[in-house]
Amino acid sequence: MKSNAVRSLVRLGIALLIVLLGLLNYCSSTAENPITGEKQNVQLSVQQEIVLGLEARQQMVAQHNGLHPDPLLQQYVNQVGKQIVERSTAFRSPYPFEFHLLRDSRAINAFALPGGQVFLTVALLRQLTSEAQLAAVFGHEIGHVVARHGAEHLTKHPVSQLPVSAINATTNDRQDKAAVLAQTVKQLVSLRYGRDDELESDRLGLRFMTEAGYDPQGFVQLIQSLGVTRQDGRPPAFFSTHPSPDNRVKRLQTLITQTYPQGLPRNLKNNRELFAQMVKARL
């Protein structure tokens, strides 16, 4: 009887130790996001996020029929995205943002990988009518990166322990490192953000695009336009995990009113003519 009691106490002690170590690990990896102010438990460093994003980039490109072949379109898309980062508080983030136009002419979508790799499909670009709408798309995706939604996702799931071990693996573990990275990249490529993440990215995206000088009504117009677009009887992939278009519009209008209680400044831009010249004339 005594031996059974001792064994039970030993098992209980081990269980408590495991819980304690887990709590210590959680607390040690909790940090405040410098832009959102949110306290986050993210086990990946910024550099690890960047590495994983770069590793996943080529798979993302291949999955969507490659990059669009027009170099001027690629340059324009990247320029708009970079301007949003450089002219907003997103500039304080440590990520080297890159913006890519994918050849995919069917999936109306945009997405971001951890570390600053941002993509949109030519199918989505064709749905837009102004640079302000493009800025809204990119602002939203920049929000995902800055808020570290991808890194949080990896931390919350069982595979979350793999990226760290993969990136820190020694040269003697190259095969293990490659296998782990491949598994993690596969998860990143198929990543779908949750509703709360999408709403936070809407809020951040609106903030970033307006700080960069764009008319926030472009965001509202984007949601309204895509809200009536259907693909095979379903909403575009861009709405696959987003709240309903009507709810998003209401939230955006509320945010715009809160940001500009005296009304929108007249100097905010939509750049319809430039967008038509750079995009519509080339597609």
Side-chain angles (χ1 to χ4, degrees), residues 67-270:
L67 294 173
H68 194 277
D70 189 327
L72 290 180
L73 268 181
Q74 289 287 352
Q75 180 181 358
Y76 174 68
V77 163
N78 189 53
Q79 179 182 345
V80 173
K82 292 276 192 181
Q83 285 180 354
I84 297 168
V85 174
E86 293 169 359
R87 299 175 183 178
S88 72
T89 49
F91 180 72
R92 301 206 313 263
S93 74
Y95 303 108
F97 282 91
E98 294 181 346
F99 300 85
H100 311 280
L101 178 62
L102 300 171
R103 179 180 276 177
D104 193 332
S105 60
R106 301 188 64 183
I108 300 175
N109 208 359
F111 24 78
L113 295 172
Q117 299 298 313
V118 180
F119 308 82
L120 85 156
T121 64
V122 71
L124 174 55
L125 188 62
R126 285 175 176 156
Q127 299 294 315
L128 310 182
T129 60
S130 72
E131 193 173 288
Q133 292 184 12
L134 178 59
V137 172
F138 280 155
H140 178 91
E141 299 305 328
I142 292 167
H144 280 307
V145 176
V146 167
R148 307 187 76 185
H149 291 155
E152 282 188 320
H153 175 89
L154 291 173
T155 297
K156 293 174 184 177
H157 289 73
V159 78
S160 64
Q161 300 298 327
L162 299 180
V164 178
S165 61
I167 295 171
N168 292 333
T170 66
T171 54
N172 295 328
D173 299 319
R174 284 178 180 173
Q175 288 185 340
D176 290 340
K177 179 177 179 179
V180 169
L181 277 173
Q183 183 176 354
T184 307
V185 165
K186 182 178 180 181
Q187 182 174 347
L188 286 173
V189 169
S190 60
L191 183 61
R192 294 291 182 270
Y193 296 114
R195 179 186 179 89
D196 289 343
D197 289 345
E198 298 293 358
L199 291 175
E200 182 176 30
S201 287
D202 274 0
R203 177 176 56 81
L204 290 171
L206 189 76
R207 170 183 167 186
F208 296 150
M209 70 176 293
T210 54
E211 287 176 340
Y214 287 100
D215 184 347
Q217 287 298 333
F219 206 153
V220 174
Q221 294 159 5
L222 169 71
I223 301 305
Q224 291 173 329
S225 174
L226 294 183
V228 298
T229 302
R230 313 294 292 183
Q231 291 182 299
D232 301 323
R234 296 174 296 179
F238 189 67
F239 283 157
S240 60
T241 59
H242 292 62
S244 71
D246 289 342
N247 288 340
R248 290 183 76 187
V249 166
K250 291 177 183 177
R251 289 177 64 92
L252 288 169
Q253 294 285 25
T254 298
L255 287 171
I256 292 171
T257 301
Q258 291 172 347
T259 305
Y260 299 103
Q262 305 302 320
L264 290 175
R266 293 185 178 182
N267 62 342
L268 295 178
K269 59 192 177 186
N270 59 55

Side-chain angles (χ1 to χ4, degrees), residues 1-16:
M1 294 291 292
K2 289 184 178 180
S3 61
N4 289 337
V6 171
R7 283 196 294 270
S8 296
L9 287 173
V10 170
R11 286 196 293 268
L12 178 60
I14 292 173
L16 290 173

